[in-house]
C-alpha cells in the first residue's frame, strides 16, 4: 500500500503539476488579452530543457540542486504516505536550504540576491507552515497525515483562520506576485531570474520538475483541511485545491510585486492574527 | 598574579575527603564511586595548580593533555559504575568540618573579589559580593542554618551533566593548547599569561563538577560563585579596557544572581529548615512558601544563563580568547544556570514562578534570534544563538512537564556539542585568516575545505533536520502545544523562522565558490584538529544515537522526577524517517550522478549582465573602470539591529521579571 502510494505520487504529481502550470499560463494570458500557449506547453518546455546541456559556474551546483530535488520528492512521499506533518515541514525546509545553497555557491550577484530573498521568504512563511501543522494536531489529536485524513469532521471547521493564513503563504510558496521576490516565472528586470539565474539545461529542468512536485504537495495540505472520513470529501477537496490554485493565479495577475519588508511584515501579521487567534480559540475550546 | 586561593583550597578539600572516607565505613562499590566523585571535584583544581606553575612548553601541553584524559576517563568510569548500581546515590550526611572549610573558602573568594574591585575602582562590586556572602557565612557560623540532608547526590541528570562538562570541557581544554600559542603569535600586544589562562579553564571545570555533584545549597552556592569569579578572570584575560569593562559587567550581573541565590539559602534554611536542593523541590508540592526560594533560585539561574535582561554579559564575554567562549557557552557557566532550572522544574509546574521562567525564556528565545540576524561577527552570532537556545531550555524547564523537560535536557546536550564545535572552528578559522567575520568566510569551502565542512556540520546541527537541535525543538514544540501555552508556541515558531534565516545565510557564505581562489595553508595544530574532529564526530554520532542516550540517561531521570513513564516522545517511525534522511544525505553525491547521467556540464563564468572582466571577481563599472565585486549577506540593521531591538527587549524583559517576582514573592508572604 505504502509503495503504491509512493509510486502514484511520483508518477501523478508531475502530470498534475505540469497541467496546473499550463492552466495557469492560459489564464494569465487571457488576463493580458493574449491567446496563450497550448495547455501542454510546460511539458514541452521541460522535455526540451532535459535535452539541453547545462552551463554551470562551478562543480557543486548540481550537487545542491540534486539535494533539493531528492528532498522535495522525499517530502512529498512522506506526506502522501501519511507521515508526520511536522516532519514534512522540516524536510521541506531542508530541501529549500539545498536550493538556497545552490544559488549561493554560484557567487553571482543575481543568484546571491535571489538566495537572500529566498531565505527571507522562508523566514516569512515558516511560522504559518508550522502553525498549520499545530492546528491540525489540536483539531484532530494527531500530527500524522493518515489520522488527520480520517477525522470525522473536516479540520477546516476548526481551522478557518489557519486556512486563510495558509492560502496567504501559498502565494509565496507558488512564487506568485506580489510575493515572487526571489525568482518568478518571468525574468524580472532587477534580479533577472533570481535564485535560478545560474541554473540551466537539465539542471534547471530538475528544479522545474521539483517545483511541480512541491506544488502538488502544498495543494495536498490545502486538501487536508477539507477531507474527512467520507469518500466524497476527497472530491470536494480536489475542487477546493483547484480553486485555490486558480485563486493564486488571479492574485498573481492582479497585484504588483511588493518589497521584501512589506512581504515579511504582512505575512507575519497575518500569521499572528489569523493563525494565532485561531490557535488561541482552539486551545481555549479544546 | 596567580590564583593562590584555589590550589590550597583544593588540597584541604582532598584531605578532608580522604579523612571522611576513612571515618565512614562504606561498602566496596560505594567507596569507588565516592572516590571518583572526589577525584572529579578535586583533580581539576590540582591540575590547574600544576599548569599555573608550569612554563609554556611541551611539559605543560603534556600535562593538560594527560589531565584531560584523566578527567574524561574518570567521568566514563563513574557513569559505568553508577549505571550498574542503577539508582540515585547520596553521600556525606554529616560534614560539619567540610562545611566550615567551604565557608572559609567562600570568605577567601569574597576577599579576591574585593581585591579586584578596589584595584579597578569598581566599588559597587564590593557591595554586591559582601551582600551575598556575609549573611550566608553569618548564618552558618551562628549555627542558624538548617542541618542534615545529603550533601552529594548522584543521579542520572548528574551523569548527563558530568558527560557534558567532562567530555566537551576536556576537548575544549585540549583545543586551547594549540589555540593559545597561535593567539599570542597574532596578538603580540597582549601579555602572554597562557599558563594562567589554561589553569583557569581547569578551575572552571572543577567548579562545574563541584556544582553538579553538590546537593547542599551552601555548597552549590560556593561553586556557583567560583564559576562567576572564574569567568570574570577569563573574560578579562587580555586586560584591555574593553575586556576589563566586559569582565566587570559579567561579574556584577552574576553576583546579582548570586545575591538571589544567597537570599534563597537564607529563606529556605531559616524559615523552612531545608538545606538541600532535592528536599526543597520535593517540599514544593505541600508547602506554598517554598515558591519563594524557588523563584529566587530561578532568578539566579537566569542571570547565569544570560537570559534577558542579563544577556549582555555573555555578548561581552567574546572579547576573550575563543576557548573561553567555547567553554562558557557550551559546557560550563551558562549550562550551570539551565541545569539548576531543570532541577527546579517539578517545582515550577503550574505556578507563577514557572510562568516567570517560561515567559522570560520564550521571549529571550525569540528576541535573541531576531537580534542575531543583524550580526556579521561570527562569535556574536554564536553568542546570540546561545542566548536564544538557553531561552528555549529555560522555557522548557519552566513548563515543568515530563516531555518538556526531556526536550530541555536533550537541547542542553545537543547544544553543548554543536556550539562548542562551532566556536572551536570559528577560532581555528580566525587564527588562519585573521578574521572571524562571516563576510570574510565567503568561499571558505574552497579556501579551507576541511574547516568549512566541519562548520557546515556544526551549523546544520543547530537548526536542520535530521540533526540534533531540531529534534529537541520538535519535542519542545509538542510539549508547548500539549501544555496549552499559546504564547510559547508563538515565540517558538517565530523564533525558529528567524533562526533559519541567520544560520541559512551563514551556510550560504561558506559554500560560495569563487573563481580562481586557491586553498589556504592549513595551519591548524594537531591538538586543535584532534578536538575539532572529535566534536564533529560527536555531533553526527549523537544525532544517530540519541534514542539510546535518551533511554539510558534521560528517561530514567524523568521517571524518577515525575514518577511516571510516558511513551516515546518522538515515535519510532519518525526516527526511521529521520535516519533515512541522514542516509540520503550521505549517498547524495551518488544520487546526483545518477540524476544528471550522460550530460557533461559546460563551465562558464557567472552572469553579470555582460560586464564581467573575464571572471566573476571584477566587472566594468559605469565609468568604464574595472571594479571588484563584493557580495554581502543581508543584515537588515534597520529592522533587527541592536540599536533598534536591544533596548526595548531588555526593558520589556526587566519589566516582566520584576513584576512577576514581586507578585510571586509578595503573594507567598
Amino acid at each position: 500500500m505504502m509503495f503504491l502510494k509512493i509510486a502514484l505520487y511520483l508518477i501523478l504529481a508531475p502530470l498534475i503539476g505540469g497541467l496546473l502550470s499550463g492552466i495557469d499560463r492560459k489564464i494569465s494570458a487571457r488576463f493580458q488579452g493574449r491567446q496563450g500557449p497550448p495547455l501542454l506547453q510546460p511539458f514541452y518546455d521541460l522535455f526540451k530543457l532535459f535535452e539541453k546541456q547545462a552551463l554551470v559556474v562551478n562543480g557543486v551546483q548540481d550537487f545542491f540542486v540534486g539535494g533539493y530535488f531528492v528532498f522535495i520528492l522525499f517530502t512529498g512521499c512522506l506526506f502522501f504516505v501519511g507521515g508526520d506533518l511536522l516532519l514534512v515541514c522540516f524536510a521541506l525546509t531542508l530541501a529549500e536550504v539545498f536550493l538556497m545553497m545552490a544559488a549561493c555557491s554560484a557567487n553571482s550577484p543575481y543568484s546571491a540576491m535571489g538566495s537572500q530573498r529566498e531565505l527571507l521568504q522562508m523566514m516569512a512563511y515558516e511560522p504559518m507552515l508550522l502553525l498549520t501543522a499545530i492546528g491540525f494536531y489540536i483539531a484532530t489529536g494527531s500530527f500524522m497525515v493518515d489520522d488527520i485524513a480520517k477525522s470525522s469532521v473536516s479540520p477546516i471547521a476548526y481551522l478557518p483562520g489557519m486556512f486563510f493564513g495558509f492560502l496567504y503563504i501559498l502565494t509565496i510558496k507558488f512564487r506568485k506576485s506580489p510575493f515572487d521576490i526571489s525568482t518568478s516565472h518571468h525574468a524580472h528586470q532587477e534580479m533577472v531570474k533570481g535564485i535560478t539565474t545560474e541554473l540551466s539545461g537539465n539542471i534547471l529542468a530538475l528544479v522545474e520538475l521539483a517545483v511541480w512536485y512541491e506544488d502538488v504537495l502544498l495543494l495536498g495540505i490545502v486538501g487536508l483541511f477539507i477531507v474527512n472520513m467520507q469518500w466524497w470529501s476527497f472530491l470536494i477537496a480536489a475542487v477546493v485545491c483547484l480553486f485555490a490554485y486558480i485563486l493564486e493565479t488571479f492574485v498573481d495577475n492582479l497585484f504588483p510585486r511588493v518589497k521584501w519588508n512589506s512581504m515579511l511584515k504582512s505575512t507575519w501579521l497575518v500569521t499572528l492574527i489569523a493563525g494565532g487567534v485561531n490557535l488561541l480559540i482552539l486551545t481555549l475550546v479544546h | 598574579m596567580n590564583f593562590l586561593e584555589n590550589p590550597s583550597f583544593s588540597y584541604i578539600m582532598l584531605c578532608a575527603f580522604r579523612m571522611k572516607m576513612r571515618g565512614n565505613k562504606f561498602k566496596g562499590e560505594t567507596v569507588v564511586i565516592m572516590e571518583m566523585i572526589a577525584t572529579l571535584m578535586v583533580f581539576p583544581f590540582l591540575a590547574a595548580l600544576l599548569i599555573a606553575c608550569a612554563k609554556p612548553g611541551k611539559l605543560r601541553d603534556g600535562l593538560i593533555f594527560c589531565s584531560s584524559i584523566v578527567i574524561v576517563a574518570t567521568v566514563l568510569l563513574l557513569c559505568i559504575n553508577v549505571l550498574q548500581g542503577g539508582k540515585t546515590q547520596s553521600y556525606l550526611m554529616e560534614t560539619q568540618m567540610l562545611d566550615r572549610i567551604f565557608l572559609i573558602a567562600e570568605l577567601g573568594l569574597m576577599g579576591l573579589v574585593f581585591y579586584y574591585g578596589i584595584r579597578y575602582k569598581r566599588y559597587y562590586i564590593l557591595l554586591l559580593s559582601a551582600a551575598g556572602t556575609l549573611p550566608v557565612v553569618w548564618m552558618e557560623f551562628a549555627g542558624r542554618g538548617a542541618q542534615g540532608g545529603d550533601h552529594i547526590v548522584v543521579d542520572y541528570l548528574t551523569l548527563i551533566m558530568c558527560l557534558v562538562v567532562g567530555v566537551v570541557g576536556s576537548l575544549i581544554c585540549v583545543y586551547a593548547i594549540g589555540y593559545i600559542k597561535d593567539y599570542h603569535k597574532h596578538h603580540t600586544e597582549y601579555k602572554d599569561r597562557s599558563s594562567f589562562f589554561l589553569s583557569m579553564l581547569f578551575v572552571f571545570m572543577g567548579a562545574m563538577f563541584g556544582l553538579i555533584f553538590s546537593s547542599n545549597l551552601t555548597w552549590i552556592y560556593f561553586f556557583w560563585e567560583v564559576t562567576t569569579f572564574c569567568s570574570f578572570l577569563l573574560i578579562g584575560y587580555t586586560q584591555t579596557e574593553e575586556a576589563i569593562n566586559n569582565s566587570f559587567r559579567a561579574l556584577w550581573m552574576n553576583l546579582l544572581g548570586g545575591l538571589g541565590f544567597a537570599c534563597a539559602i537564607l529563606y529556605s534554611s531559616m524559615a523552612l529548615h531545608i538545606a538541600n536542593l532535592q528536599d526543597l523541590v520535593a517540599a514544593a508540592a505541600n508547602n506554598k512558601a517554598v515558591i519563594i526560594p524557588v523563584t529566587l533560585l530561578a532568578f539566579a539561574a537566569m542571570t547565569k544563563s544570560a537570559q534577558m535582561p542579563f544577556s549582555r554579559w555573555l555578548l561581552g564575554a567574546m572579547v576573550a580568547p575563543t576557548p573561553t567562549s567555547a567553554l562558557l557557552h557550551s559546557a560550563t557557566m551558562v549550562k550551570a544556570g539551565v541545569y539548576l532550572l531543570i532541577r527546579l522544574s517539578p517545582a515550577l509546574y503550574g505556578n507563577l514562578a514557572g510562568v516567570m521562567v517560561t515567559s522570560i525564556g520564550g521571549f529571550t528565545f525569540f528576541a535573541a534570534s531576531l537580534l542575531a540576524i543583524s550580526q556579521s561577527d561570527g562569535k556574536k552570532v554564536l553568542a546570540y544563538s546561545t542566548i536564544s537556545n538557553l531561552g528555549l531550555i529555560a522555557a522548557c524547564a519552566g513548563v515543568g512537564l515530563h516531555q518538556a523537560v526531556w526536550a530541555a535536557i536533550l537541547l542542553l546536550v545537543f547544544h553543548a556539542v554543536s556550539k562548542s564545535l562551532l566556536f572551536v572552528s570559528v577560532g581555528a578559522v580566525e587564527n588562519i585568516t585573521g578574521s572571524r567575520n562571516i563576510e570574510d568566510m565567503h568561499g571558505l569551502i574552497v579556501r579551507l575545505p576541511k574547516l568549512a565542512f566541519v562548520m557546515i556540520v556544526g551549523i546544520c546541527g543547530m537548526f536542520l533536520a535530521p540533526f540534533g537541535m531540531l529534534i529537541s525543538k520538535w519535542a519542545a514544540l509538542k510539549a508547548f502545544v500539549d501544555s496549552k501555552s499559546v504564547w510559547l508556541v508563538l515565540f517558538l515558531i517565530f523564533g525558529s523562522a528567524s533562526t533559519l534565516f541567520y544560520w541559512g545565510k551563514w551556510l550560504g557564505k561558506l559554500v560560495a565558490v569563487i573563481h580562481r581562489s586557491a586553498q589556504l595553508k592549513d595551519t591548524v595544530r594537531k591538538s586543535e584538529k584532534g578536538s575539532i574532529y572529535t566534536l564533529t564526530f560527536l555531533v553526527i554520532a549523537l544525532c544517530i544515537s540519541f534514542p539510546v542516550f535518551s533511554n539510558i540517561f534521560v528517561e530514567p531521570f524523568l521517571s524518577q522526577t515525575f514518577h511516571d513513564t510516558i511513551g516515546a516522545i518522538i515515535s519510532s517511525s519518525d526516527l526511521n524517517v529521520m535516519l533515512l534522511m541522514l542516509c540520503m544525505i550521505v549517498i547524495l553525491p551518488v544520487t546526483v550522478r545518477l540524476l544528471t547521467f550522460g550530460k557533461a556540464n559546460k563551465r562558464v563564468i557567472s552572469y553579470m549582465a555582460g560586464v564581467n572582466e573575464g571572471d566573476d571577481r571584477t566587472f566594468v563599472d559605469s565609468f568604464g573602470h574595472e571594479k571588484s565585486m563584493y557580495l554581502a549577506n543581508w543584515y537588515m540593521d534597520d529592522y533587527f539591529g541592536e540599536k533598534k531591538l536591544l533596548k526595548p527587549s531588555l526593558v520589556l524583559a526587566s519589566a516582566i521579571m520584576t513584576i512577576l517576582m514581586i507578585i510571586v514573592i509578595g503573594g507567598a508572604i
Side-chain angles (χ1 to χ4, degrees), chain B residues 246-279:
Chain B
N246 289 355
S247 66
F248 273 100
R249 186 189 297 143
L251 188 61
W252 83 252
M253 285 186 175
N254 282 302
L255 282 177
L256 186 69
L259 186 61
F261 205 122
C263 295
I265 294 179
L266 288 176
Y267 189 86
S268 74
S269 225
M270 294 169 68
L272 305 169
H273 306 291
I274 296 173
N276 90 17
L277 185 59
Q278 271 81 2
D279 294 345

Side-chain angles (χ1 to χ4, degrees), chain A residues 20-244:
Chain A
L20 284 173
S21 172
I23 295 174
D24 175 57
R25 286 168 76 167
K26 201 88 191 164
I27 295 177
S28 294
R30 290 294 154 87
F31 256 104
Q32 296 152 8
R34 293 186 284 117
Q35 172 70 26
L39 196 60
L40 297 181
Q41 187 62 38
F43 294 103
Y44 306 147
D45 291 350
L46 190 75
F47 288 135
K48 194 168 180 185
L49 272 179
F50 266 119
E51 294 290 302
K52 289 197 172 238
Q53 187 189 31
L55 303 177
V56 294
V57 294
N58 62 48
V60 293
Q61 264 184 318
D62 49 353
F63 172 75
F64 287 128
V65 170
Y68 168 65
F69 179 77
V70 168
F71 277 100
I72 285 285
L73 261 62
F74 176 82
T75 313
C77 293
L78 188 63
F79 178 83
F80 284 101
V81 299
D84 192 308
L85 204 50
L86 272 179
L87 198 52
V88 168
C89 298
F90 299 145
L92 195 60
T93 307
L94 179 63
E96 293 279 353
V97 168
F98 268 110
L99 181 62
M100 188 278 301
M101 289 208 282
C104 279
S105 78
N107 189 44
S108 124
Y110 300 104
S111 77
M113 181 162 67
S115 71
Q116 299 290 314
R117 291 180 171 193
E118 178 74 12
L119 268 175
L120 196 86
Q121 289 189 353
M122 288 165 75
M123 177 172 158
Y125 72 69
E126 188 84 0
M128 192 61 232
L129 195 63
L130 288 173
L131 209 53
T132 308
I134 295 166
F136 277 119
Y137 174 66
I138 300 179
T140 65
S142 173
F143 275 115
M144 305 303 280
V145 174
D146 241 355
D147 301 334
I148 297 170
K150 283 182 200 134
S151 54
S152 51
V153 185
S154 299
I156 196 171
Y158 302 105
L159 307 169
M162 303 251 183
F163 186 68
F164 174 74
F166 190 77
L167 285 184
Y168 200 85
I169 62 160
L170 212 54
T171 319
I172 303 178
K173 292 289 317 173
F174 282 162
R175 305 190 186 289
K176 300 284 191 202
S177 184
F179 300 144
D180 55 343
I181 65 169
S182 78
T183 180
S184 83
H185 303 293
H186 330 285
H188 275 296
Q189 297 86 348
E190 99 279 19
M191 60 161 185
V192 190
K193 267 292 252 177
I195 196 165
T196 55
T197 304
E198 300 299 337
L199 304 176
S200 59
N202 56 339
I203 298 182
L204 182 61
L206 278 181
V207 176
E208 292 289 325
L209 190 57
V211 166
W212 292 353
Y213 275 109
E214 193 189 0
D215 287 354
V216 172
L217 163 69
L218 293 164
L219 288 176
I221 301 181
V222 172
L224 199 61
F225 276 98
I226 312 297
V227 295
N228 55 35
M229 58 205 302
Q230 254 71 40
W231 63 268
W232 43 262
S233 68
F234 284 82
L235 298 180
I236 300 178
V239 175
V240 170
C241 287
L242 189 64
F243 268 111

Side-chain angles (χ1 to χ4, degrees), chain B residues 614-659:
Chain B
D615 60 13
D616 59 4
R617 286 169 169 259
T618 49
F619 64 96
V620 182
D621 68 8
S622 51
F623 294 103
H625 301 308
E626 189 173 297
K627 204 168 191 176
S628 63
M629 181 188 69
Y630 173 63
L631 296 175
N633 272 351
W634 283 14
Y635 293 98
M636 306 187 284
D637 222 24
D638 301 341
Y639 286 83
F640 305 111
E642 281 184 336
K643 279 200 183 113
K644 177 109 181 170
L645 287 184
L646 190 59
K647 212 168 183 183
S649 319
L650 294 181
V651 171
L652 192 62
S654 316
I656 300 174
M657 200 176 238
T658 322
I659 293 171

